[in-house]
Amino acid sequence: GLRSIPILSQFPRLRYLWINNNKIQDLTFLVKNYCLTELYLNNNELTDISGALKHLCSLQLLFLQNNELKKLGKTVKELKGMISLQTLNLFQNPLAYDPDYRLYVIYFLPSVQLLDRKLVTQRERESALHLCNPKRACVMQSIAFGRRVDTSLGTPVGSGRCTQPTRRPIMPSVLKCFGNVQAMGLLCSFCRVPFEDPEDAVLVRATTRSLTEFSSVDWKKVATCQERRLKNQAEEPLEKLTVQFR
């Protein structure tokens, strides 16, 4: 039934603190506890945490469920500096009823791995990016092999939501007909043709950019400086072996 707690500055090395199941409304007593890694504040009467927790950069686990937190933006902003935060509970707060609540938290708190007792999935992270930063999501979709590609082969870049093109020209079936190195010249002639399947575009780009050349010399056959002086002959060109592979 505690409604307030005195400042805990006499415990600067405090790491774990359970003060759940009380009636606490103010968190100013944590102003000096920088070493906290686990903080249990669930089942209290907190309505706002602004300015009370942002200094706790070592926090890894934070339970805030079953309080009276209403402002999602202010609450997430307070937790943004917690780069070590991995487990977070905010359910049973008014802010958790926002339809985009979970994706919003996942986007702005990327270090969180377990949110409201559920693991954060890669698909949720991608959905959060589309929701909160659609322009960046479109740019990332248009990246291939470290460079921007023609957006006609993928999703167009623009403001608002990303939409797939309704129709794409069909790629000639040459990709499925040739599988050896000699066919590369013919394949390259189709590099600028739009594709029906994005995987075909990736294949063409990979086969035209993944060529590697390795050269070596048999140094046993190369004359030393002394041998060249004794022979007093013009130096013969080196025998260099060059191999190209993918």
Side-chain angles (χ1 to χ4, degrees):
L2 294 176
R3 294 186 177 276
S4 63
I5 294 179
I7 294 178
L8 301 177
S9 57
Q10 58 182 321
F11 308 111
R13 296 177 181 268
L14 183 64
R15 296 185 61 190
Y16 310 104
L17 180 60
W18 285 264
I19 47 177
N20 48 298
N21 299 309
N22 285 286
K23 298 181 180 180
I24 296 172
Q25 300 179 356
D26 186 13
L27 298 177
T28 54
F29 58 89
L30 296 173
V31 66
K32 298 292 184 179
N33 304 106
Y34 301 103
C35 295
L36 274 173
T37 58
E38 294 186 11
L39 181 56
Y40 299 83
L41 293 169
N42 46 298
N43 301 307
N44 278 285
E45 297 180 359
L46 295 169
T47 58
D48 189 9
I49 61 171
S50 298
L53 300 177
K54 61 183 178 181
H55 62 287
L56 304 179
C57 298
S58 299
L59 208 59
Q60 299 177 8
L61 182 148
L62 177 60
F63 282 8
L64 282 168
Q65 71 266 25
N66 198 17
N67 278 279
E68 298 298 328
L69 300 174
K70 299 178 180 179
K71 297 182 179 180
L72 179 59
K74 291 183 66 176
T75 301
V76 171
K77 183 179 180 180
E78 183 69 15
L79 307 179
K80 272 187 177 181
M82 300 179 184
I83 57 176
S84 300
L85 187 62
Q86 298 180 4
T87 303
L88 175 64
N89 280 352
L90 288 171
F91 61 92
Q92 292 182 350
N93 280 283
L95 58 79
Y97 295 101
D98 188 298
D100 298 324
Y101 150 74
R102 184 172 175 86
L103 295 181
Y104 185 89
V105 174
I106 290 173
Y107 178 78
F108 286 103
L109 302 178
S111 64
V112 173
Q113 305 295 324
L114 188 66
L115 176 60
D116 293 345
R117 302 180 293 189
K118 289 179 59 179
L119 284 173
V120 177
T121 65
Q122 182 60 32
R123 177 169 294 185
E124 285 181 319
R125 295 192 187 279
E126 294 172 359
S127 299
L129 179 63
H130 279 279
L131 173 69
C132 301
N133 197 340
K135 184 175 181 180
R136 177 178 173 81
C138 290
V139 170
M140 290 181 65
Q141 285 185 350
S142 68
I143 296 293
F145 298 92
R147 297 183 179 181
R148 290 291 299 276
V149 298
D150 185 1
T151 54
S152 62
L153 297 180
T155 305
V157 179
S159 58
R161 297 183 178 179
C162 303
T163 57
Q164 294 291 337
T166 56
R167 180 179 177 275
R168 288 177 179 170
I170 299 175
M171 169 63 184
S173 58
V174 65
L175 283 174
K176 301 178 181 179
C177 298
F178 298 93
N180 51 38
V181 178
Q182 287 77 12
M184 290 312 301
L186 183 58
L187 284 173
C188 292
S189 64
F190 293 99
C191 290
R192 297 185 179 181
V193 179
F195 302 87
E196 183 179 19
D197 188 350
E199 293 185 0
D200 292 340
V202 174
L203 177 59
V204 169
R205 189 177 289 267
T207 53
T208 55
R209 291 190 178 183
S210 61
L211 184 66
T212 303
E213 184 176 284
F214 179 78
S215 299
S216 61
V217 175
D218 187 358
W219 292 100
K220 294 180 181 179
K221 299 180 180 180
V222 178
T224 63
C225 295
Q226 294 179 352
E227 291 174 343
R228 288 198 298 269
R229 281 197 294 268
L230 291 174
K231 291 181 179 180
N232 196 20
Q233 297 177 356
E235 185 176 354
E236 297 180 359
L238 299 178
E239 295 183 3
K240 183 170 65 172
L241 175 64
T242 301
V243 180
Q244 293 184 344
F245 59 94
R246 304 190 181 282

